Amino acid sequence: MDTEAQHTERDPSSPADPQPDPASDDGSRSVRVSGAPEGPDTSPGPGTDAEPEADPDTGRGPSWRRTGLLGAVCVVFLLLLSHFVAQPFLIPSGSMEPTLQVGDRILVNKLAYRFSSEPRRGDVVVFDGTGSFVQEEPTGDPVTGLLHDTAAALGLAAPDETDFVKRVVGVGGDRVVCCDATGRLTVNGARVQEPYLTPGDRPSDVPFDIVVPPGTLWVMGDHRSQSSDSRDHLGNPGGGVVPVDKVVGRADWIVWPFGRWTTVSESDAYDAVPPPPAGGHQVGPRGRAHG
């Protein structure tokens, strides 16, 4: 059998292949896939940015939409957590040094006093000073205020001008006096050794003698020479004391920077302080503002 391939020659009498018509669609195509259905060319032209379509198998949209939705959910969750459970606060001043330093971010436990418990002597608390430390609530642009409040609630901005962090020195009924013959603070007659004070600071440069009204707190900073606290507002409406219901929560943790990540230690400085007498102190409140 002859297995050699036979060459087919063109019949010289057959007509030449027709030239492609420039106006025809076939003339604009260089390659046609055999067996592919014909139809309009829908592929994007050069330089065209095609929007990513949802995957027909998974139904997922573009990744940036998922990322944006996830980010929004996280922000809402953090805001709810900040409002009801624990809120971060940025420390803007040195009034609580060395316990809290400028730039520290603390986490305030809002559940600490939620269930019938009240602040105790020695607690470091954050409170709204409107009506005690600040007589009028600041006004400003509502949009800017909302953005600032959101950032402050996430610990990304300084707290409102009405928010303060101080240490509780006296609770309702206590008589707080400074200073005794040895230069110490006394509460209900008991001398208090304050290890948390800034080294070199005295308990107070100005004497005072105050009986704390029921339902209020006498608060002071740990850096006494740099702290504007209850002493400074003795002559103001409210007498410098802070209503218990204005307390936001107890500062329990330092969460930033990482090198200072720790708990805010409870102080045993007031363990020996007796409760106020049942009939109240016989000496009325008196004092003068801290200069």
Side-chain angles (χ1 to χ4, degrees):
M1 177 180 292
D2 186 4
T3 59
E4 184 179 355
Q6 302 296 318
H7 295 282
T8 303
E9 296 183 358
R10 182 185 297 276
D11 186 353
S13 64
S14 63
D17 291 338
Q19 297 295 324
D21 185 358
S24 171
D25 179 67
D26 291 343
S28 64
R29 300 182 182 179
S30 58
V31 177
R32 184 184 297 274
V33 179
S34 175
E38 296 190 21
D41 185 3
T42 59
S43 61
T48 303
D49 293 332
E51 181 179 355
E53 298 179 355
D55 188 337
D57 296 329
T58 63
R60 295 177 180 176
S63 60
W64 64 266
R65 293 180 181 175
R66 296 195 303 272
T67 302
L69 179 59
L70 180 61
V73 170
C74 289
V75 169
V76 171
F77 172 77
L78 289 175
L79 288 175
L80 290 174
L81 187 71
S82 172
H83 184 75
F84 293 106
V85 181
Q87 180 175 350
F89 275 85
L90 173 65
I91 302 301
S93 73
S95 68
M96 282 297 294
E97 292 176 339
T99 305
L100 304 175
Q101 298 180 7
V102 177
D104 282 353
R105 284 173 172 81
I106 60 174
L107 202 58
V108 176
N109 182 1
K110 289 191 167 184
L111 300 179
Y113 311 123
R114 186 67 58 86
F115 305 103
S116 73
S117 179
E118 292 192 353
R120 301 181 304 172
R121 307 179 195 95
D123 286 357
V124 177
V125 298
V126 171
F127 60 92
D128 177 5
T130 304
S132 55
F133 283 30
V134 179
Q135 298 308 312
E136 294 183 4
E137 190 168 356
T139 58
D141 180 67
V143 176
T144 303
L146 178 61
L147 293 175
H148 176 271
D149 289 346
T150 301
L154 298 175
L156 302 177
D160 290 338
E161 295 180 0
T162 59
D163 290 335
F164 298 86
V165 56
K166 302 294 178 188
R167 187 180 297 274
V168 177
V169 174
V171 298
D174 285 346
R175 181 185 179 189
V176 185
V177 179
C178 194
C179 297
D180 67 2
T182 63
R184 302 276 183 84
L185 178 84
T186 65
V187 180
N188 298 334
R191 184 178 302 161
V192 179
Q193 179 71 32
E194 300 180 278
Y196 44 74
L197 292 184
T198 297
D201 268 10
R202 292 181 293 181
S204 181
D205 290 332
V206 172
F208 61 86
D209 185 342
I210 180 75
V211 174
V212 184
T216 65
L217 306 171
W218 179 266
V219 296
M220 301 172 73
D222 290 355
H223 195 173
R224 296 286 162 80
S225 62
Q226 299 295 324
S227 175
S228 176
D229 47 42
S230 289
R231 298 168 294 169
D232 294 83
H233 302 282
L234 277 169
N236 296 345
V241 294
V242 177
V244 171
D245 59 11
K246 288 287 190 177
V247 173
V248 175
R250 184 179 64 209
D252 279 354
W253 304 278
I254 301 174
V255 296
W256 183 264
F258 287 132
R260 286 179 48 74
W261 197 347
T262 184
T263 59
V264 179
S265 301
E266 296 183 3
S267 175
D268 59 359
Y270 300 87
D271 288 354
V273 173
H281 293 282
Q282 299 301 314
V283 179
R286 64 180 184 274
R288 55 181 179 178
H290 177 56

